[in-house]
Coordinates of all heavy atoms in Angstrom, one line a residue:
M24 N 149.4 84.0 122.0 CA 148.8 83.7 120.7 C 147.7 84.6 120.4 O 146.9 85.1 121.2 CB 148.2 82.3 120.8 CG 149.1 81.2 120.7 SD 148.2 79.7 120.4 CE 149.3 78.5 121.1
S25 N 147.6 85.0 119.1 CA 146.6 85.8 118.7 C 145.5 85.0 117.9 O 145.8 84.1 117.2 CB 147.1 87.0 117.8 OG 147.6 86.4 116.6
E26 N 144.3 85.4 118.2 CA 143.2 84.7 117.5 C 142.8 85.5 116.2 O 142.8 86.7 116.2 CB 142.0 84.6 118.4 CG 142.2 83.7 119.6 CD 140.9 83.6 120.4 OE1 139.8 83.8 119.9 OE2 141.1 83.2 121.6
A27 N 142.5 84.7 115.2 CA 142.0 85.3 114.0 C 140.6 85.9 114.2 O 139.9 85.4 115.0 CB 142.0 84.3 112.9
P28 N 140.4 87.1 113.6 CA 139.0 87.6 113.8 C 138.0 86.7 113.3 O 138.1 86.0 112.3 CB 139.1 88.9 112.9 CG 140.3 88.8 112.1 CD 141.2 87.8 112.7
T29 N 136.9 86.6 114.1 CA 135.8 85.7 113.7 C 134.9 86.3 112.7 O 134.6 87.5 112.8 CB 135.0 85.2 114.9 OG1 134.6 86.3 115.6 CG2 135.9 84.3 115.8
K30 N 134.4 85.5 111.9 CA 133.4 86.0 110.9 C 132.0 86.0 111.5 O 131.6 85.1 112.1 CB 133.5 85.1 109.7 CG 132.9 85.7 108.4 CD 133.1 84.8 107.3 CE 132.5 85.3 106.0 NZ 132.7 84.4 104.9
K31 N 131.3 87.1 111.4 CA 130.0 87.2 112.0 C 128.9 86.9 110.9 O 128.0 87.7 110.6 CB 129.7 88.6 112.5 CG 130.6 88.9 113.7 CD 130.2 90.2 114.3 CE 131.1 90.4 115.6 NZ 130.7 91.7 116.2
S32 N 129.0 85.7 110.3 CA 128.1 85.4 109.3 C 126.7 85.0 109.8 O 125.7 85.1 109.1 CB 128.6 84.2 108.4 OG 128.8 83.1 109.3
D33 N 126.6 84.7 111.1 CA 125.3 84.3 111.6 C 124.6 85.5 112.2 O 123.6 85.3 112.8 CB 125.5 83.1 112.6 CG 126.4 83.4 113.7 OD1 127.2 84.4 113.6 OD2 126.5 82.7 114.7
A34 N 125.1 86.7 112.1 CA 124.4 87.8 112.6 C 123.2 88.1 111.7 O 123.2 87.8 110.5 CB 125.4 89.0 112.5
P35 N 122.2 88.6 112.4 CA 121.0 88.9 111.6 C 121.2 90.0 110.5 O 122.0 90.9 110.7 CB 119.9 89.4 112.6 CG 120.7 89.8 113.8 CD 122.0 89.0 113.8
A36 N 120.6 89.8 109.4 CA 120.8 90.8 108.3 C 120.3 92.2 108.8 O 119.3 92.3 109.5 CB 120.0 90.4 107.1
E37 N 121.1 93.2 108.5 CA 120.7 94.5 108.9 C 119.5 95.0 108.1 O 119.5 94.9 106.9 CB 121.9 95.5 108.8 CG 122.9 95.3 109.9 CD 123.9 96.4 109.9 OE1 123.6 97.5 109.5 OE2 125.0 96.1 110.3
T38 N 118.6 95.7 108.7 CA 117.5 96.2 108.0 C 117.7 97.7 108.0 O 118.3 98.3 108.8 CB 116.1 95.9 108.7 OG1 116.2 96.4 110.0 CG2 115.8 94.5 108.6
E39 N 117.1 98.4 107.0 CA 117.3 99.8 106.9 C 116.2 100.4 107.7 O 115.0 100.1 107.6 CB 117.1 100.2 105.4 CG 118.3 99.8 104.6 CD 118.7 100.8 103.5 OE1 118.1 101.9 103.6 OE2 119.5 100.4 102.7
G40 N 116.6 101.3 108.6 CA 115.6 102.0 109.4 C 115.3 101.3 110.7 O 115.8 100.2 111.0
E41 N 114.4 101.9 111.4 CA 113.9 101.4 112.7 C 112.5 101.0 112.6 O 111.7 101.7 112.0 CB 114.1 102.5 113.7 CG 113.9 102.2 115.1 CD 114.1 103.4 116.0 OE1 114.9 104.3 115.7 OE2 113.5 103.4 117.1
Y42 N 112.1 99.9 113.2 CA 110.8 99.4 113.2 C 109.9 100.4 113.9 O 110.1 100.7 115.1 CB 110.6 98.1 113.8 CG 111.1 97.0 112.9 CD1 112.1 96.1 113.4 CD2 110.6 96.8 111.6 CE1 112.7 95.1 112.5 CE2 111.1 95.8 110.8 CZ 112.2 95.0 111.3 OH 112.7 94.0 110.5
I43 N 108.9 101.0 113.2 CA 107.9 101.9 113.8 C 106.6 101.1 114.1 O 106.1 101.3 115.1 CB 107.7 103.1 112.8 CG1 108.9 103.8 112.5 CG2 106.6 104.0 113.3 CD1 109.6 104.5 113.7
C44 N 106.2 100.4 113.1 CA 105.0 99.6 113.3 C 105.4 98.2 113.7 O 105.9 97.4 112.8 CB 104.1 99.6 112.1 SG 102.6 98.6 112.3
Q45 N 105.3 97.8 115.0 CA 105.7 96.5 115.4 C 104.8 95.4 114.9 O 105.2 94.3 114.7 CB 105.8 96.5 116.9 CG 106.7 97.5 117.6 CD 108.2 97.2 117.1 OE1 108.6 96.1 117.0 NE2 108.9 98.3 117.0
C46 N 103.5 95.7 114.8 CA 102.6 94.7 114.3 C 102.9 94.2 112.9 O 102.8 93.0 112.7 CB 101.1 95.3 114.3 SG 100.5 95.7 115.9
F47 N 103.3 95.0 112.1 CA 103.6 94.6 110.7 C 105.1 94.8 110.3 O 105.4 94.6 109.1 CB 102.7 95.4 109.7 CG 101.2 95.1 109.9 CD1 100.4 95.9 110.7 CD2 100.7 94.0 109.3 CE1 99.1 95.6 110.8 CE2 99.4 93.6 109.4 CZ 98.6 94.4 110.2
Q48 N 105.9 95.1 111.3 CA 107.4 95.1 111.0 C 107.7 96.1 109.9 O 108.4 95.7 108.9 CB 107.9 93.7 110.8 CG 107.7 92.7 111.9 CD 108.5 93.0 113.1 OE1 109.7 93.0 113.0 NE2 107.9 93.4 114.2
V49 N 107.2 97.3 110.0 CA 107.4 98.3 109.0 C 108.4 99.4 109.5 O 108.2 99.9 110.6 CB 106.1 99.0 108.5 CG1 106.4 99.9 107.3 CG2 105.1 97.9 108.1
T50 N 109.4 99.7 108.8 CA 110.4 100.6 109.3 C 110.1 102.1 108.9 O 109.2 102.3 108.1 CB 111.8 100.3 108.6 OG1 111.7 100.5 107.2 CG2 112.2 98.9 108.9
D51 N 110.7 103.0 109.6 CA 110.5 104.4 109.3 C 110.9 104.8 107.9 O 110.2 105.6 107.3 CB 111.3 105.3 110.3 CG 112.8 105.0 110.3 OD1 113.2 103.9 109.8 OD2 113.6 105.8 110.8
E52 N 111.9 104.1 107.4 CA 112.3 104.4 106.0 C 111.2 104.0 105.0 O 110.9 104.8 104.1 CB 113.6 103.6 105.6 CG 114.8 104.1 106.3 CD 115.1 105.6 106.1 OE1 114.9 106.1 104.9 OE2 115.5 106.3 107.0
T53 N 110.6 102.9 105.2 CA 109.5 102.4 104.4 C 108.3 103.4 104.5 O 107.8 103.8 103.4 CB 109.0 101.0 104.8 OG1 110.2 100.2 104.7 CG2 107.9 100.5 103.8
I54 N 108.0 103.8 105.7 CA 106.9 104.7 105.9 C 107.1 106.1 105.2 O 106.3 106.6 104.5 CB 106.6 104.9 107.4 CG1 106.1 103.5 108.0 CG2 105.5 106.0 107.6 CD1 106.1 103.5 109.5
K55 N 108.3 106.6 105.4 CA 108.6 107.9 104.8 C 108.6 107.8 103.3 O 108.2 108.8 102.6 CB 110.0 108.4 105.3 CG 110.0 108.8 106.7 CD 111.4 109.2 107.2 CE 111.5 109.5 108.7 NZ 112.8 109.8 109.2
T56 N 109.1 106.7 102.8 CA 109.1 106.5 101.3 C 107.7 106.5 100.8 O 107.4 107.2 99.8 CB 109.9 105.3 100.9 OG1 111.2 105.3 101.5 CG2 109.9 105.1 99.4
V57 N 106.8 105.7 101.4 CA 105.4 105.6 100.8 C 104.7 107.0 101.0 O 103.9 107.3 100.1 CB 104.6 104.5 101.4 CG1 105.2 103.1 101.1 CG2 104.4 104.7 102.9
I58 N 105.0 107.7 102.1 CA 104.4 109.0 102.2 C 104.9 110.0 101.1 O 104.1 110.7 100.5 CB 104.7 109.6 103.6 CG1 104.0 108.8 104.7 CG2 104.3 111.1 103.7 CD1 104.4 109.3 106.1
R59 N 106.2 110.0 100.9 CA 106.8 110.9 99.9 C 106.3 110.5 98.5 O 105.9 111.4 97.7 CB 108.3 110.8 100.0 CG 109.0 111.8 99.2 CD 110.5 111.8 99.4 NE 111.1 110.5 99.2 CZ 111.6 109.7 100.2 NH1 111.7 110.2 101.4 NH2 112.1 108.5 99.9
E60 N 106.4 109.3 98.2 CA 106.1 108.9 96.8 C 104.6 109.0 96.5 O 104.2 109.3 95.3 CB 106.6 107.4 96.5 CG 108.1 107.4 96.5 CD 108.7 106.0 96.2 OE1 107.9 105.0 96.3 OE2 109.9 105.9 96.1
G61 N 103.8 108.7 97.5 CA 102.3 108.7 97.2 C 101.7 110.1 97.6 O 100.5 110.2 97.5
N62 N 102.6 111.0 98.2 CA 102.1 112.2 98.7 C 100.9 112.0 99.6 O 99.8 112.6 99.5 CB 101.7 113.2 97.6 CG 101.8 114.6 98.0 OD1 102.4 115.0 99.0 ND2 101.1 115.5 97.3
L63 N 101.0 111.1 100.6 CA 99.9 110.6 101.4 C 99.7 111.7 102.5 O 100.5 112.4 102.9 CB 100.3 109.3 102.1 CG 100.7 108.2 101.1 CD1 100.9 106.9 101.9 CD2 99.6 108.0 100.0
T64 N 98.4 111.7 102.9 CA 98.0 112.7 103.9 C 97.3 112.1 105.1 O 97.0 112.8 106.1 CB 97.1 113.8 103.3 OG1 96.0 113.1 102.7 CG2 97.8 114.6 102.2
T65 N 97.0 110.8 105.1 CA 96.3 110.2 106.2 C 96.9 108.9 106.6 O 97.6 108.3 105.8 CB 94.8 109.9 105.9 OG1 94.7 109.0 104.8 CG2 94.1 111.2 105.4
I66 N 96.6 108.5 107.8 CA 97.1 107.2 108.3 C 96.5 106.1 107.5 O 97.2 105.1 107.2 CB 96.8 107.1 109.8 CG1 97.7 108.1 110.6 CG2 97.1 105.7 110.3 CD1 97.4 108.1 112.1
E67 N 95.2 106.2 107.2 CA 94.6 105.2 106.4 C 95.3 104.9 105.1 O 95.4 103.8 104.6 CB 93.1 105.5 106.1 CG 92.2 105.5 107.4 CD 92.4 106.7 108.3 OE1 92.9 107.8 107.8 OE2 92.1 106.6 109.5
Q68 N 95.8 106.0 104.5 CA 96.5 105.8 103.2 C 97.8 105.1 103.4 O 98.2 104.3 102.6 CB 96.8 107.2 102.6 CG 95.5 107.9 102.0 CD 95.8 109.3 101.6 OE1 96.6 110.0 102.2 NE2 95.1 109.7 100.5
I69 N 98.5 105.4 104.6 CA 99.7 104.7 104.9 C 99.5 103.2 105.1 O 100.2 102.4 104.6 CB 100.4 105.3 106.1 CG1 100.8 106.7 105.9 CG2 101.6 104.5 106.6 CD1 101.3 107.5 107.2
T70 N 98.4 102.9 105.8 CA 98.0 101.5 106.0 C 97.8 100.8 104.7 O 98.2 99.7 104.5 CB 96.8 101.5 107.0 OG1 97.0 102.2 108.2 CG2 96.4 100.0 107.3
E71 N 97.1 101.5 103.8 CA 96.8 100.9 102.5 C 98.1 100.6 101.7 O 98.2 99.6 101.1 CB 95.9 101.8 101.7 CG 94.5 101.3 101.5 CD 93.7 102.3 100.7 OE1 94.1 102.5 99.5 OE2 92.6 102.7 101.2
A72 N 99.0 101.6 101.9 CA 100.2 101.5 101.1 C 101.2 100.4 101.6 O 101.9 99.8 100.8 CB 100.9 102.9 101.0
C73 N 101.4 100.3 102.9 CA 102.4 99.4 103.4 C 102.0 98.6 104.6 O 102.8 97.8 105.1 CB 103.7 100.2 103.7 SG 103.5 101.4 105.1
G74 N 100.8 98.8 105.1 CA 100.3 98.0 106.2 C 100.5 98.6 107.5 O 99.8 98.2 108.5
A75 N 101.4 99.6 107.7 CA 101.7 100.2 109.0 C 100.4 100.8 109.5 O 99.7 101.5 108.8 CB 102.8 101.2 108.8
G76 N 100.2 100.6 110.8 CA 99.1 101.2 111.4 C 97.8 100.4 111.4 O 96.8 100.9 111.9
G77 N 97.8 99.3 110.8 CA 96.6 98.5 110.6 C 96.3 97.5 111.7 O 95.4 96.7 111.6
G78 N 97.1 97.6 112.8 CA 96.9 96.6 113.9 C 96.5 97.3 115.1 O 95.4 97.9 115.2
C79 N 97.4 97.3 116.1 CA 97.0 97.8 117.5 C 96.9 99.3 117.5 O 96.4 99.9 118.5 CB 98.1 97.4 118.5 SG 99.7 98.2 118.3
Q80 N 97.4 100.0 116.5 CA 97.3 101.5 116.4 C 98.3 102.2 117.3 O 98.2 103.4 117.4 CB 95.9 102.0 116.5 CG 95.0 101.4 115.6 CD 93.6 102.0 115.6 OE1 93.3 102.8 116.5 NE2 92.7 101.5 114.8
S81 N 99.2 101.5 118.0 CA 100.1 102.2 118.9 C 101.1 103.0 118.2 O 101.7 103.9 118.8 CB 100.7 101.3 119.9 OG 101.6 100.4 119.2
C82 N 101.3 102.8 116.9 CA 102.2 103.6 116.1 C 101.6 104.8 115.4 O 102.3 105.5 114.8 CB 102.8 102.7 115.0 SG 101.6 102.0 113.9
H83 N 100.3 105.0 115.6 CA 99.6 106.1 114.9 C 100.2 107.5 115.3 O 100.3 108.3 114.4 CB 98.1 106.1 115.3 CG 97.4 105.1 114.4 ND1 96.1 105.1 114.1 CD2 97.8 103.9 113.8 CE1 95.7 104.1 113.4 NE2 96.8 103.4 113.2
M84 N 100.7 107.6 116.5 CA 101.3 108.9 116.9 C 102.5 109.2 116.0 O 102.7 110.3 115.5 CB 101.7 108.9 118.3 CG 100.7 109.5 119.2 SD 101.1 109.5 121.0 CE 102.8 109.9 121.0
L85 N 103.3 108.2 115.8 CA 104.5 108.3 115.0 C 104.2 108.5 113.5 O 104.8 109.3 112.8 CB 105.5 107.1 115.1 CG 106.1 107.0 116.5 CD1 106.8 105.7 116.7 CD2 107.1 108.2 116.7
L86 N 103.1 107.8 113.0 CA 102.7 108.0 111.6 C 102.2 109.4 111.4 O 102.5 110.0 110.4 CB 101.6 107.0 111.3 CG 102.0 105.5 111.4 CD1 100.8 104.6 111.0 CD2 103.2 105.2 110.6
D87 N 101.5 110.0 112.4 CA 101.1 111.4 112.3 C 102.3 112.3 112.3 O 102.3 113.3 111.5 CB 100.2 111.7 113.6 CG 98.7 111.7 113.3 OD1 98.4 111.8 112.1 OD2 98.0 111.5 114.3
L88 N 103.3 112.0 113.1 CA 104.5 112.8 113.1 C 105.2 112.8 111.7 O 105.6 113.8 111.2 CB 105.5 112.2 114.1 CG 106.7 113.0 114.4 CD1 106.4 114.3 115.1 CD2 107.7 112.2 115.1
F89 N 105.3 111.6 111.1 CA 105.9 111.6 109.7 C 105.0 112.3 108.7 O 105.5 113.0 107.8 CB 106.0 110.1 109.3 CG 107.0 109.3 110.0 CD1 106.8 108.0 110.4 CD2 108.2 109.9 110.4 CE1 107.8 107.3 111.1 CE2 109.2 109.2 111.2 CZ 108.9 107.9 111.5
L90 N 103.7 112.2 108.9 CA 102.8 113.0 107.9 C 103.0 114.5 108.1 O 103.1 115.2 107.1 CB 101.3 112.6 108.2 CG 100.9 111.3 107.7 CD1 99.5 111.0 108.2 CD2 100.9 111.2 106.2
D91 N 103.1 114.9 109.4 CA 103.4 116.4 109.7 C 104.7 116.8 109.1 O 104.8 117.9 108.5 CB 103.4 116.6 111.2 CG 102.0 116.6 111.8 OD1 101.0 116.6 111.0 OD2 101.9 116.6 113.0
Q92 N 105.7 116.0 109.3 CA 107.0 116.4 108.7 C 107.0 116.5 107.2 O 107.5 117.5 106.6 CB 108.1 115.3 109.1 CG 108.5 115.3 110.5 CD 109.4 114.2 110.9 OE1 109.6 113.3 110.1 NE2 110.1 114.3 112.0
H93 N 106.3 115.6 106.6 CA 106.2 115.6 105.1 C 105.4 116.9 104.6 O 105.8 117.5 103.7 CB 105.5 114.4 104.6 CG 105.2 114.4 103.1 ND1 106.2 114.2 102.2 CD2 104.1 114.5 102.4 CE1 105.7 114.3 101.0 NE2 104.4 114.5 101.1
N94 N 104.3 117.1 105.3 CA 103.5 118.3 104.9 C 104.2 119.6 105.2 O 104.0 120.5 104.4 CB 102.1 118.2 105.7 CG 101.3 117.1 105.2 OD1 101.4 116.6 104.1 ND2 100.4 116.6 106.1
K95 N 105.0 119.7 106.2 CA 105.7 121.0 106.5 C 106.7 121.2 105.4 O 106.9 122.4 105.0 CB 106.4 120.9 107.8 CG 105.5 121.3 108.9 CD 106.2 121.3 110.3 CE 105.2 121.4 111.4 NZ 105.7 121.1 112.7
K96 N 107.3 120.2 104.9 CA 108.3 120.3 103.8 C 107.7 120.8 102.5 O 108.3 121.5 101.7 CB 109.0 119.0 103.5 CG 110.1 118.6 104.6 CD 110.7 117.3 104.2 CE 111.5 116.8 105.3 NZ 112.0 115.4 105.1
N97 N 106.4 120.4 102.3 CA 105.8 120.8 101.1 C 105.0 122.0 101.1 O 104.4 122.4 100.1 CB 104.9 119.6 100.6 CG 105.7 118.4 100.3 OD1 106.9 118.6 99.9 ND2 105.1 117.2 100.4
Q98 N 104.9 122.7 102.2 CA 104.2 124.0 102.3 C 105.1 125.1 101.8 O 106.3 125.1 102.0 CB 103.8 124.3 103.8 CG 102.7 123.4 104.3 CD 102.3 123.8 105.7 OE1 103.0 124.6 106.3 NE2 101.2 123.2 106.2
P99 N 104.4 126.1 101.1 CA 105.2 127.2 100.7 C 105.7 128.0 101.9 O 105.0 128.0 102.9 CB 104.2 128.0 99.9 CG 102.8 127.6 100.4 CD 103.0 126.2 100.8
P100 N 106.8 128.7 101.8 CA 107.3 129.5 102.9 C 106.4 130.6 103.3 O 105.7 131.1 102.4 CB 108.6 130.1 102.4 CG 108.5 129.9 100.9 CD 107.6 128.8 100.6
E101 N 106.3 130.8 104.6 CA 105.4 131.9 105.0 C 105.9 133.3 104.5 O 107.1 133.5 104.5 CB 105.3 131.9 106.6 CG 104.6 130.7 107.1 CD 104.4 130.7 108.6 OE1 104.4 131.8 109.1 OE2 104.2 129.7 109.2
P102 N 104.9 134.1 104.2 CA 105.3 135.4 103.7 C 105.9 136.3 104.8 O 105.5 136.1 106.0 CB 104.0 136.0 103.2 CG 102.9 135.3 103.9 CD 103.5 133.9 104.1
E103 N 106.8 137.1 104.5 CA 107.4 138.0 105.5 C 106.4 139.0 106.0 O 105.6 139.4 105.2 CB 108.6 138.7 104.9 CG 109.8 137.9 104.7 CD 111.0 138.7 104.2 OE1 111.2 139.8 104.6 OE2 111.8 138.1 103.5
P104 N 106.5 139.3 107.3 CA 105.5 140.3 107.8 C 105.7 141.6 107.1 O 106.8 142.0 106.8 CB 105.8 140.3 109.3 CG 107.1 139.7 109.5 CD 107.4 138.8 108.3
A105 N 104.6 142.3 106.9 CA 104.6 143.6 106.2 C 105.4 144.6 107.1 O 105.3 144.6 108.3 CB 103.2 144.1 106.0
K106 N 106.2 145.4 106.4 CA 106.9 146.4 107.1 C 106.0 147.5 107.6 O 105.1 147.9 106.9 CB 108.0 147.0 106.2 CG 109.1 146.0 106.0 CD 110.3 146.7 105.2 CE 111.4 145.7 105.0 NZ 112.5 146.3 104.2
K107 N 106.3 147.9 108.8 CA 105.4 149.0 109.4 C 105.7 150.3 108.7 O 106.9 150.7 108.6 CB 105.7 149.0 110.9 CG 104.5 149.3 111.7 CD 104.9 149.2 113.2 CE 103.7 149.4 114.0 NZ 104.0 149.4 115.5
K108 N 104.7 151.0 108.4 CA 104.9 152.3 107.8 C 105.2 153.3 108.8 O 104.8 153.2 110.0 CB 103.6 152.8 107.1 CG 103.3 152.2 105.7 CD 102.1 152.9 105.1 CE 101.9 152.4 103.7 NZ 100.7 153.0 103.1
K109 N 106.1 154.2 108.5 CA 106.5 155.2 109.4 C 105.4 156.3 109.5 O 104.9 156.7 108.5 CB 107.8 155.9 109.0 CG 109.0 155.0 109.4 CD 110.3 155.8 109.2 CE 111.5 155.1 109.7 NZ 112.7 155.9 109.6
G110 N 105.1 156.6 110.7 CA 104.1 157.7 110.9 C 104.7 159.0 110.9 O 105.9 159.2 110.7
F111 N 103.9 160.0 111.0 CA 104.3 161.4 110.9 C 105.4 161.7 112.0 O 106.4 162.3 111.6 CB 103.1 162.3 111.1 CG 103.4 163.8 111.2 CD1 103.8 164.4 110.0 CD2 103.4 164.5 112.4 CE1 104.1 165.8 110.1 CE2 103.8 165.8 112.4 CZ 104.1 166.5 111.3
F112 N 105.2 161.3 113.2 CA 106.1 161.6 114.3 C 107.4 160.8 114.1 O 108.5 161.3 114.4 CB 105.5 161.4 115.7 CG 104.4 162.4 116.0 CD1 103.1 162.1 116.0 CD2 104.8 163.7 116.3 CE1 102.2 163.1 116.3 CE2 103.9 164.7 116.6 CZ 102.5 164.4 116.6
S113 N 107.3 159.6 113.6 CA 108.5 158.8 113.4 C 109.4 159.5 112.4 O 110.6 159.5 112.5 CB 108.1 157.4 112.9 OG 107.3 156.8 113.9
K114 N 108.8 160.1 111.4 CA 109.6 160.7 110.3 C 110.3 162.0 110.9 O 111.4 162.2 110.6 CB 108.7 161.1 109.2 CG 108.3 160.0 108.3 CD 107.4 160.4 107.2 CE 106.8 159.2 106.4 NZ 105.8 159.6 105.5
L115 N 109.6 162.7 111.8 CA 110.1 163.9 112.4 C 111.3 163.6 113.3 O 112.3 164.3 113.3 CB 109.1 164.6 113.2 CG 108.1 165.5 112.4 CD1 107.1 166.1 113.3 CD2 108.8 166.5 111.6
F116 N 111.1 162.5 114.1 CA 112.1 162.3 115.1 C 113.0 161.1 114.8 O 113.7 160.6 115.7 CB 111.4 162.0 116.5 CG 110.6 163.2 116.9 CD1 109.3 163.2 116.8 CD2 111.3 164.4 117.3 CE1 108.5 164.3 117.2 CE2 110.6 165.5 117.7 CZ 109.2 165.5 117.7
S117 N 113.1 160.7 113.6 CA 113.9 159.5 113.3 C 115.4 159.9 113.3 O 115.8 161.1 113.0 CB 113.6 159.0 111.9 OG 113.9 159.9 110.9
K118 N 116.2 159.0 113.7 CA 117.7 159.2 113.7 C 118.2 158.9 112.4 O 117.9 157.9 111.8 CB 118.3 158.3 114.8 CG 117.9 158.6 116.2 CD 118.5 157.6 117.1 CE 117.9 157.8 118.5 NZ 118.4 156.8 119.4
A119 N 119.0 159.8 111.9 CA 119.5 159.6 110.5 C 120.5 158.5 110.4 O 120.9 157.8 110.9 CB 120.2 160.9 110.0
Ligands
FES364 S1 102.4 98.9 116.0 FE1 101.5 99.7 114.2 S2 99.6 98.9 114.2 FE2 100.5 98.0 116.0

């Protein structure tokens, strides 16, 4: 006999992202969104925006990481290093 597939209606609703701040149950997606939309630069601003980081502070390292990731994306690309000028001897002995 084959059993009909059971419906998993009593499974907990899936949340988007992973909980980063356990004290306030804030996910990484929420934190990244508030950082991006508010162009936030400090943990205090994140705490004001969504509550994350306002408790035991054990998530502060991860909040710093998200801030760093956001800031790196918004920095202008580094200029290419200047090309070295050829000196007198380099011009004489350069391979064609
Ligand atoms: S885990 Fe974020 S404040 Fe405690």
Side-chain angles (χ1 to χ4, degrees):
M24 281 193 206
S25 65
E26 291 182 23
T29 55
K30 198 174 176 183
K31 293 185 177 180
S32 60
D33 54 348
E37 283 189 32
T38 55
E39 291 213 13
E41 187 178 333
Y42 287 120
I43 299 299
C44 182
Q45 299 298 325
C46 292
F47 293 96
Q48 302 289 296
V49 185
T50 64
D51 57 343
E52 291 301 321
T53 303
I54 294 166
K55 287 176 186 174
T56 302
V57 297
I58 291 173
R59 188 177 53 247
E60 289 178 354
N62 201 21
L63 306 182
T64 56
T65 65
I66 291 174
E67 289 77 22
Q68 290 173 326
I69 296 173
T70 304
E71 253 181 54
C73 66
C79 72
Q80 302 184 356
S81 65
C82 62
H83 279 204
M84 267 179 36
L85 292 170
L86 299 182
D87 261 337
L88 185 73
F89 292 141
L90 285 170
D91 284 348
Q92 286 175 346
H93 175 72
N94 291 332
K95 278 182 187 164
K96 283 180 190 169
N97 292 335
Q98 283 181 353
E101 289 188 23
E103 287 185 31
K106 289 186 178 176
K107 217 174 181 182
K108 280 187 176 179
K109 280 190 172 185
F111 175 74
F112 289 107
S113 299
K114 287 178 185 172
L115 282 178
F116 299 106
S117 67
K118 295 175 187 174

